[in-house]
Amino acid sequence: MKPNTQSVLRCTSRLSRHAASRSSKRTLINSASRLSLRHRAPSQTQSRGLTIADLDKSKGDRERVVILGSGWAGYPLARTLDPKKFQAVIVSPRSYFVFTPLLASTSVGTLEFRTALEPIRSRRSKARYIQGWADDVDFFNKTVTVEEAVADPNQGLALTGPRYEGKTEEEVVNVLQSKKIKGQVFNLSYDKLAIAVGCYSQTFNIPGVREHAHFLKDVGDARAIRKRLLECFEAAALPTTPDTVRRQLLTFAIVGGGPTGIEFSAELHDLCTEEMSRIYPELAEFVSITVYDVAPKVLGMFDDKLAKYAADTFKREGIAIKTSHHVENITRGLPGVEYSPASTRPGLTLKVKEEGEMGVGMVVWSTGLQMNPFVERALSTVRRFPRKEVIFKAQDQEVTDAEAKTWTIARDGRSGGLLTNDRLRVMLESNSSSGNGETRKRAFMKDVFAIGDCGVVEGTAYPATAQVANQKALYLGKRLNRNDMQQQRFTWKNLGIMAYLGNWRALVQGGSGFGNISGRTAWIIWRGAYLMMALSWKNRILIPVYWVINWIFGRDISRF
Amino acid sequence: MKPNTQSVLRCTSRLSRHAASRSSKRTLINSASRLSLRHRAPSQTQSRGLTIADLDKSKGDRERVVILGSGWAGYPLARTLDPKKFQAVIVSPRSYFVFTPLLASTSVGTLEFRTALEPIRSRRSKARYIQGWADDVDFFNKTVTVEEAVADPNQGLALTGPRYEGKTEEEVVNVLQSKKIKGQVFNLSYDKLAIAVGCYSQTFNIPGVREHAHFLKDVGDARAIRKRLLECFEAAALPTTPDTVRRQLLTFAIVGGGPTGIEFSAELHDLCTEEMSRIYPELAEFVSITVYDVAPKVLGMFDDKLAKYAADTFKREGIAIKTSHHVENITRGLPGVEYSPASTRPGLTLKVKEEGEMGVGMVVWSTGLQMNPFVERALSTVRRFPRKEVIFKAQDQEVTDAEAKTWTIARDGRSGGLLTNDRLRVMLESNSSSGNGETRKRAFMKDVFAIGDCGVVEGTAYPATAQVANQKALYLGKRLNRNDMQQQRFTWKNLGIMAYLGNWRALVQGGSGFGNISGRTAWIIWRGAYLMMALSWKNRILIPVYWVINWIFGRDISRF
């Protein structure tokens, strides 16, 4: 059997930036879904047959909940679901959950990387796991198309663009064809589907950011930052490095003045004052840390008083905050030095509109989120309307002419996220031009949920934070366990926000209950809260061990 | 100033396999040494001037001991030297010391990677450090040529071949030229020199070993093994993987039946029985571990009775030991599957002479040592005889016609290591054909020492182990501190050998004092000894914490 080029092209059209027009795309999708991978003859070039028999056998008479994603929404949902009632199957390219608030600490060595991780598979875990990317969803047949991602080379790094970006159409076709032939793409059926794929990191397509900046969304990012930081110090310490270059290598730029950028700057400052100034005393004078933001102030989500406290603290500690500044590009190599692949030295050139070009050792980028390409492209038009699965929003009417219409997945206008109702069910809409003008029909899929950053509850403006994602997941898990979704709608309970400011100081802005606190007391709350939130007992033990050990003996600066 | 091509060619000739003939090489070296990097004009394309002023300033009236290497010889020497009397400067491409006996434990997650590391730079460390490769030594002018290695991409991985191998002559010239121009190569003067560069891993040039096998000499190796292991399990767990492929991916081959190979097999077996069988119960039946060795028995350095105990233990636990087996090559991809770069799956084909081809998930290679290319090539002929630095072996005579002769560095015939006397001083020899036949003159350099695996004390056959390296370093450090080298020669005190066998069992073969012990008691000694040997208090605390935590909660199988 020849590989089906059309079906491959379908994927390509979604993945490449120049998507085919909507109608021709649909045709390709249809022809693709006819080519069910399950029915391929066993006489393949590869001996890998297609079976999810193990999974089906262990399912028993439970419902299968397929969860796409293992972040702040997907992972808690899988933990919450009652294994007696549901077979939870996580599909995610990451084999672990990242406790993101501790990433900044791990990136400077205050904590070890694995203290911020929980493996999806563990001795106690009841959830099943498939390491893969969700490629497509068929809402009519209730299957997800999954592409394996076991040895993905970008594992552990922040996602910033479509997987096949930069590849030509032809290269993508080749990759996908080869994966199909080898059975590396397969269908997984679901009874309920929770879309929790999260967002990608926003780069605003500023040249060089994706290639040369560091993000702070995954544990691989934290590791890369730690390595680069220490590399900059080591290069600056070489006897051959002149002072001008030392100053450039030890200039660290953080772009984005939200909690992530601020906390990282604070942790970096701690590292420099507590560790590096003792280990490299001769370099202390060259170090500088600068936070850039396009907005006129940082920590915009905090009260003015707290934000001012943060700004004052940073000023006192010597961290520069440059608001209303615009990064224009990042290139490899220090200014005026032609980059060559033979160079094994760190160093970047950062161009800021207001300042011009400057040499820096590292740029850490944290300017918010962009919609996941899976949500943007794969989840657009609905191939066949999943009639029986629908519940109406108003009046409990049935949709009478569903199959005759083109249904699309409703989106939040601002973020592009999946619109859901207050039960987190994904919304469909259809524009039918029948006689008296356009009427807009709406429907909700009973068994398809969007949680976390990729879903937006209609009529709300909840922030895209871990807290909201986590609350959505717990709501959904509990409602499914008790089967009482109709009785209770989702509302977000604001538990407040925190930010670490360095030197044992923090900000805590109370949600319901708490007031606003800053300084040492806030720092104790900050540490205590994260310790309590740590999901496993293992990490609840290891985290304070590292806090104490590294406070006494210093952070480890071995680099490998 | 144009870059000097000759000097670059000199390096090339050493680094490439087809070295120029000795005499022409010497000419090149001489022309190179005339091109002192210190005298280059400051009007370079790069602004990096050449100065080791900082280092010279802090030296004061102390002697500078340059130590090449940061392993079991270099690192303890730097710690032992009295900072009041000596300025210790470590030159090494690794910014940390690896406590190698614990590497196998870290490779399966029983311990965290950093518990097996000690950073060379720390709050307490008195030694100076330059991250670089020693490229050449000028014994007359007492300088070492150092090439920076801060951002070396192979950092943390076992060394298996010359750095520039695989590159054409032209490419190497380009790289080195560019490094020279940028001032990435510089000279460092010494009063005393300790060569402690260690050995590379032996591959016997078996095709595919260097590219596809994993070694276990550095922390990056341990990390790569951990990642690959978990990758194999995850790929085998995919619903699309047929049982035949599962069996291949979960076949682990260990080549080399020395303590490293045996201990790794034992740790891997522990991981499989204690962790993987619970996390992936459906895969337990597919796992197999095999140790290959060309010799007729494993653990040849142990008494027969202990070696038999090990073999019996392995047999009972289901680890196969295949002695008198010869690996012929390793290729990428499973047998019968054409490899393509689009494949993101693990899998290798291992060809064993006695068994033919088979699919395996991973090969761990541990078949001993080969001489360091720096020792083999850079340290060969002595450009100019360092007259004043010489002490005679016999009769305390001076060498009268030293400058007229060609001096080479004496070598151990078997290993190619640097021959030293029993004060660890490096030996020179000269073949002069004067009148009545050949006479062989010998000399020792007063201030040049070889310690660790790269040095061989004349007339001894001490094994190339951490224990010997460590004792040499401590001897040298103490003698230099007390300035009493003439009173005391170096002898190795055999403290015994140990090997972990898995399932809380070990072997201990006593040196002076101890008897032979096997089983649970030996395991307690094994753990206790390593804990006591851990060099820092930080690791002495963290190691038992991890032992207990991972015993209670299980090893972390997050992969990133």
Side-chain angles (χ1 to χ4, degrees):
Chain A
M1 196 167 98
K2 255 179 62 183
N4 185 306
T5 317
Q6 271 192 316
S7 73
V8 164
L9 276 170
R10 167 183 66 90
C11 300
T12 320
S13 70
R14 187 178 351 116
L15 296 157
S16 75
R17 298 200 148 227
H18 315 286
S21 76
R22 192 150 277 191
S23 68
S24 76
K25 194 173 158 192
R26 224 175 317 130
T27 323
L28 289 170
I29 289 171
N30 287 334
S31 69
S33 61
R34 278 199 300 276
L35 174 82
S36 166
L37 284 161
R38 284 193 200 189
H39 304 127
R40 277 190 298 131
S43 63
Q44 294 289 88
T45 44
Q46 252 267 4
S47 59
R48 294 200 164 197
L50 247 161
T51 164
I52 46 168
D54 289 351
L55 216 55
D56 290 342
K57 210 164 64 190
S58 66
K59 181 181 172 237
D61 53 3
R62 299 178 294 173
E63 279 198 301
R64 179 180 294 156
V65 182
V66 171
I67 302 166
L68 308 182
S70 57
W72 274 105
Y75 183 68
L77 173 59
R79 281 166 62 107
T80 308
L81 285 173
D82 182 351
K84 291 195 202 80
K85 294 184 180 165
F86 300 101
Q87 181 189 47
V89 182
I90 293 183
V91 174
S92 169
R94 303 282 172 271
S95 64
Y96 47 80
F97 161 79
V98 186
F99 190 83
T100 42
L102 294 180
L103 272 187
S105 290
T106 68
S107 71
V108 301
T110 310
L111 290 174
E112 199 39 63
F113 299 120
R114 282 170 199 269
T115 60
L117 299 186
E118 303 289 344
I120 300 178
R121 293 185 192 269
S122 74
R123 288 185 187 174
R124 275 159 204 80
S125 156
K126 300 281 182 296
R128 304 294 299 251
Y129 172 61
I130 294 170
Q131 188 158 29
W133 299 93
D135 248 9
D136 199 7
V137 180
D138 178 341
F139 295 111
F140 186 85
N141 293 308
K142 297 180 91 171
T143 59
V144 179
T145 307
V146 179
E147 186 187 332
E148 318 177 350
V150 171
D152 176 12
N154 291 320
Q155 197 145 238
L157 297 175
L159 300 167
T160 56
R163 262 175 297 150
Y164 294 104
E165 200 174 46
K167 283 198 158 58
T168 65
E169 199 94 0
E170 199 184 357
E171 285 166 340
V172 177
V173 171
N174 284 340
V175 170
L176 291 174
Q177 245 177 18
S178 128
K179 290 204 168 181
K180 270 220 163 143
I181 293 170
K182 292 179 184 159
Q184 293 171 6
V185 175
F186 60 94
N187 289 334
L188 177 68
S189 64
Y190 64 83
D191 296 306
K192 292 188 166 29
L193 178 68
I195 302 167
V197 294
C199 285
Y200 280 32
S201 295
Q202 182 60 272
T203 64
F204 302 106
N205 287 318
I206 294 171
V209 173
R210 204 179 285 169
E211 299 82 354
H212 308 309
H214 287 87
F215 298 85
L216 196 49
K217 268 207 81 176
D218 203 338
V219 65
D221 300 319
R223 186 162 70 190
I225 288 175
R226 188 167 177 181
K227 187 158 186 277
R228 170 62 76 100
L229 259 177
L230 301 172
E231 219 168 76
C232 288
F233 275 91
E234 202 59 60
L238 284 170
T240 44
T241 307
D243 289 354
T244 48
V245 176
R246 286 188 170 143
R247 198 174 301 281
Q248 292 175 320
L249 288 175
L250 299 179
T251 297
F252 303 112
I254 292 92
V255 184
T260 306
I262 293 294
E263 288 202 339
F264 173 75
S265 313
E267 294 271 5
L268 175 58
H269 185 263
D270 282 357
L271 175 77
C272 292
T273 52
E274 293 168 14
E275 238 61 64
M276 297 319 210
S277 61
R278 304 195 209 182
I279 294 173
Y280 304 89
E282 72 281 13
L283 297 179
E285 57 175 308
F286 301 111
V287 177
S288 71
I289 304 172
T290 308
V291 181
Y292 291 92
D293 205 309
V294 289
K297 69 168 208 166
V298 297
L299 293 178
M301 64 291 292
F302 281 86
D303 280 354
D304 280 350
K305 213 180 132 194
L306 289 180
K308 188 169 178 311
Y309 178 86
D312 290 347
T313 305
F314 269 33
K315 197 170 179 184
R316 207 171 44 244
E317 289 175 352
I319 305 174
I321 296 184
K322 297 193 175 171
T323 48
S324 306
H325 275 62
H326 302 78
V327 171
E328 293 193 324
N329 68 49
I330 304 173
T331 49
R332 194 148 58 169
L334 294 174
V337 181
E338 210 184 322
Y339 177 79
S340 91
S343 162
T344 53
R345 279 187 190 158
L348 299 169
T349 300
L350 175 70
K351 192 173 171 199
V352 177
K353 194 176 152 196
E354 290 75 11
E355 297 184 315
E357 286 196 343
M358 75 195 90
V360 299
M362 181 175 71
V363 179
V364 173
W365 197 269
S366 169
T367 60
L369 304 173
Q370 63 172 313
M371 197 33 65
N372 193 310
F374 169 74
V375 168
E376 235 180 316
R377 304 207 179 101
L379 299 181
S380 51
T381 305
V382 178
R383 258 163 270 153
R384 249 182 102 184
F385 189 73
R387 184 171 182 146
K388 285 182 190 160
E389 311 302 333
V390 162
I391 30 170
F392 255 105
K393 196 182 174 194
Q395 297 130 349
D396 278 313
Q397 289 178 324
E398 263 203 47
V399 180
T400 47
D401 51 353
E403 297 271 0
K405 293 195 176 77
T406 302
W407 291 86
T408 55
I409 293 177
R411 284 165 194 287
D412 175 52
R414 205 177 48 84
S415 68
L418 302 169
L419 265 193
T420 68
N421 65 1
D422 54 13
R423 267 71 177 176
L424 310 182
R425 288 193 164 106
V426 170
M427 192 189 284
L428 301 179
E429 56 187 14
S430 164
N431 292 320
S432 62
S433 39
S434 61
N436 49 355
E438 284 238 328
T439 58
R440 214 158 156 204
K441 291 226 169 191
R442 282 189 154 188
F444 296 97
M445 287 186 279
K446 190 166 70 112
D447 295 327
V448 181
F449 304 89
I451 53 180
D453 297 349
C454 68
V456 176
V457 180
E458 200 183 15
T460 69
Y462 299 153
T465 61
Q467 201 182 97
V468 174
N470 192 39
Q471 289 185 19
K472 281 182 176 176
L474 298 182
Y475 164 86
L476 181 58
K478 280 184 198 154
R479 298 288 76 77
L480 290 177
N481 285 345
R482 296 189 196 157
N483 196 18
D484 64 353
M485 191 165 274
Q486 287 318 309
Q487 278 95 67
Q488 213 171 328
R489 65 192 186 87
F490 172 74
T491 47
W492 171 52
K493 190 183 166 205
N494 185 357
L495 300 172
I497 42 177
M498 304 189 287
Y500 179 56
L501 297 180
N503 197 18
W504 304 28
R505 283 184 176 79
L507 299 180
V508 174
Q509 175 167 315
S512 346
F514 265 110
N516 292 350
I517 308 167
S518 57
R520 200 60 51 97
T521 315
W523 175 79
I524 292 168
I525 296 170
W526 179 80
R527 280 217 160 166
Y530 284 168
L531 198 55
M532 297 214 325
M533 282 162 71
L535 293 175
S536 66
W537 277 104
K538 189 175 182 175
N539 282 334
R540 255 175 238 162
I541 296 167
L542 281 176
I543 289 169
V545 165
Y546 272 105
W547 277 339
V548 172
I549 289 266
N550 284 336
W551 175 62
I552 297 173
F553 298 104
R555 298 168 178 89
D556 183 15
I557 64 154
S558 303
R559 179 165 44 91
F560 64 97
Chain B
M1 196 168 98
K2 253 180 63 182
N4 187 305
T5 317
Q6 272 193 316
S7 73
V8 165
L9 276 170
R10 167 184 67 90
C11 300
T12 319
S13 70
R14 189 182 346 119
L15 295 159
S16 75
R17 298 198 148 227
H18 315 284
S21 77
R22 191 149 282 190
S23 67
S24 76
K25 193 173 158 191
R26 222 173 319 129
T27 323
L28 289 170
I29 289 171
N30 286 336
S31 68
S33 62
R34 278 197 300 275
L35 174 80
S36 167
L37 285 160
R38 281 190 204 192
H39 303 126
R40 276 187 301 130
S43 65
Q44 291 290 89
T45 45
Q46 251 269 3
S47 59
R48 296 199 163 199
L50 247 160
T51 165
I52 46 170
D54 288 351
L55 216 54
D56 289 343
K57 209 164 63 189
S58 64
K59 181 180 171 236
D61 53 2
R62 299 176 296 172
E63 279 198 300
R64 179 180 294 158
V65 183
V66 171
I67 303 166
L68 308 183
S70 56
W72 274 104
Y75 182 69
L77 173 59
R79 282 166 61 105
T80 308
L81 286 173
D82 182 350
K84 291 196 203 75
K85 294 182 179 166
F86 300 101
Q87 181 189 47
V89 182
I90 293 185
V91 175
S92 168
R94 303 282 171 271
S95 64
Y96 47 79
F97 161 79
V98 186
F99 191 83
T100 43
L102 293 181
L103 272 189
S105 291
T106 68
S107 72
V108 301
T110 310
L111 290 174
E112 199 39 61
F113 300 118
R114 282 169 198 268
T115 61
L117 300 186
E118 302 289 346
I120 300 177
R121 295 185 191 268
S122 73
R123 288 186 187 174
R124 274 156 205 80
S125 158
K126 301 280 184 295
R128 303 294 298 248
Y129 172 63
I130 293 170
Q131 187 158 30
W133 299 93
D135 247 10
D136 200 6
V137 180
D138 178 341
F139 295 110
F140 187 85
N141 293 306
K142 298 180 90 171
T143 59
V144 181
T145 307
V146 178
E147 185 188 333
E148 317 177 351
V150 171
D152 177 11
N154 292 319
Q155 197 147 241
L157 297 175
L159 301 166
T160 57
R163 262 175 297 151
Y164 294 104
E165 202 174 43
K167 284 199 157 57
T168 65
E169 200 93 359
E170 198 185 356
E171 286 166 340
V172 177
V173 171
N174 284 340
V175 171
L176 290 175
Q177 248 178 16
S178 127
K179 290 202 168 184
K180 271 219 164 142
I181 294 171
K182 292 182 184 158
Q184 293 171 4
V185 175
F186 60 94
N187 288 333
L188 177 69
S189 65
Y190 65 82
D191 297 305
K192 293 189 165 26
L193 177 69
I195 302 167
V197 294
C199 285
Y200 280 32
S201 294
Q202 182 59 272
T203 64
F204 301 106
N205 287 318
I206 294 172
V209 172
R210 203 179 285 169
E211 298 83 354
H212 307 309
H214 286 89
F215 298 86
L216 196 50
K217 271 206 81 178
D218 202 337
V219 65
D221 299 320
R223 187 164 67 190
I225 288 176
R226 188 168 179 181
K227 188 158 185 276
R228 170 63 76 101
L229 259 176
L230 300 173
E231 218 167 74
C232 288
F233 275 92
E234 202 59 60
L238 284 170
T240 44
T241 308
D243 289 355
T244 48
V245 176
R246 287 189 168 144
R247 198 175 301 281
Q248 292 175 322
L249 288 177
L250 299 179
T251 297
F252 303 113
I254 292 93
V255 185
T260 307
I262 293 295
E263 287 200 340
F264 173 74
S265 312
E267 294 271 6
L268 175 57
H269 185 262
D270 282 356
L271 175 76
C272 293
T273 53
E274 291 168 15
E275 239 59 64
M276 297 319 209
S277 61
R278 302 194 209 182
I279 294 173
Y280 303 89
E282 72 282 12
L283 296 179
E285 57 175 310
F286 301 112
V287 178
S288 73
I289 304 172
T290 307
V291 181
Y292 292 93
D293 205 308
V294 290
K297 69 167 206 167
V298 296
L299 292 178
M301 61 293 291
F302 281 87
D303 281 355
D304 280 351
K305 214 179 131 196
L306 289 182
K308 190 173 175 306
Y309 178 85
D312 291 347
T313 305
F314 269 33
K315 199 171 178 183
R316 207 170 45 245
E317 289 175 351
I319 305 174
I321 296 184
K322 297 193 175 172
T323 48
S324 305
H325 274 62
H326 302 77
V327 171
E328 294 193 324
N329 68 50
I330 303 172
T331 48
R332 193 148 58 168
L334 294 173
V337 181
E338 209 184 322
Y339 176 78
S340 90
S343 162
T344 53
R345 280 186 189 159
L348 299 168
T349 300
L350 176 69
K351 192 174 172 198
V352 177
K353 195 176 153 196
E354 289 76 11
E355 296 184 315
E357 286 197 341
M358 76 195 90
V360 298
M362 181 176 71
V363 179
V364 173
W365 196 268
S366 168
T367 61
L369 304 173
Q370 63 173 314
M371 198 32 65
N372 193 311
F374 170 73
V375 168
E376 234 180 316
R377 305 204 180 102
L379 298 181
S380 51
T381 306
V382 178
R383 257 164 270 152
R384 250 182 102 185
F385 189 73
R387 184 170 183 147
K388 286 181 188 161
E389 311 302 333
V390 162
I391 29 170
F392 255 106
K393 195 183 178 195
Q395 298 129 350
D396 279 312
Q397 289 177 324
E398 264 203 43
V399 181
T400 46
D401 50 353
E403 297 271 1
K405 292 197 177 76
T406 302
W407 292 85
T408 55
I409 293 177
R411 284 163 193 287
D412 174 52
R414 206 176 49 84
S415 69
L418 303 169
L419 266 191
T420 69
N421 66 0
D422 54 14
R423 267 71 176 178
L424 310 183
R425 288 194 164 105
V426 171
M427 191 189 283
L428 301 179
E429 58 187 13
S430 162
N431 292 319
S432 62
S433 39
S434 61
N436 48 358
E438 285 238 327
T439 58
R440 213 160 158 202
K441 291 228 170 191
R442 283 190 153 187
F444 296 96
M445 286 186 278
K446 191 166 68 105
D447 294 328
V448 182
F449 304 90
I451 52 179
D453 297 348
C454 69
V456 176
V457 181
E458 198 180 18
T460 69
Y462 299 153
T465 60
Q467 200 181 97
V468 175
N470 192 40
Q471 289 185 19
K472 282 181 175 175
L474 297 182
Y475 163 87
L476 181 58
K478 279 184 199 154
R479 299 290 74 79
L480 290 177
N481 285 345
R482 296 189 197 157
N483 197 18
D484 63 353
M485 191 165 273
Q486 287 316 308
Q487 278 95 68
Q488 213 172 328
R489 66 190 186 90
F490 171 76
T491 48
W492 171 53
K493 190 184 167 204
N494 184 355
L495 299 174
I497 41 177
M498 304 189 287
Y500 178 57
L501 298 180
N503 197 18
W504 304 27
R505 283 185 177 78
L507 299 180
V508 173
Q509 176 167 313
S512 347
F514 267 109
N516 292 351
I517 306 168
S518 57
R520 198 61 51 100
T521 315
W523 175 79
I524 292 168
I525 295 170
W526 179 82
R527 281 217 159 167
Y530 284 167
L531 197 55
M532 298 214 325
M533 283 161 71
L535 294 175
S536 65
W537 277 105
K538 188 175 181 174
N539 282 334
R540 255 176 236 160
I541 296 168
L542 280 177
I543 289 169
V545 165
Y546 272 105
W547 277 339
V548 172
I549 288 267
N550 285 335
W551 174 64
I552 297 174
F553 298 104
R555 299 168 177 88
D556 184 14
I557 63 155
S558 303
R559 176 166 47 91
F560 64 97

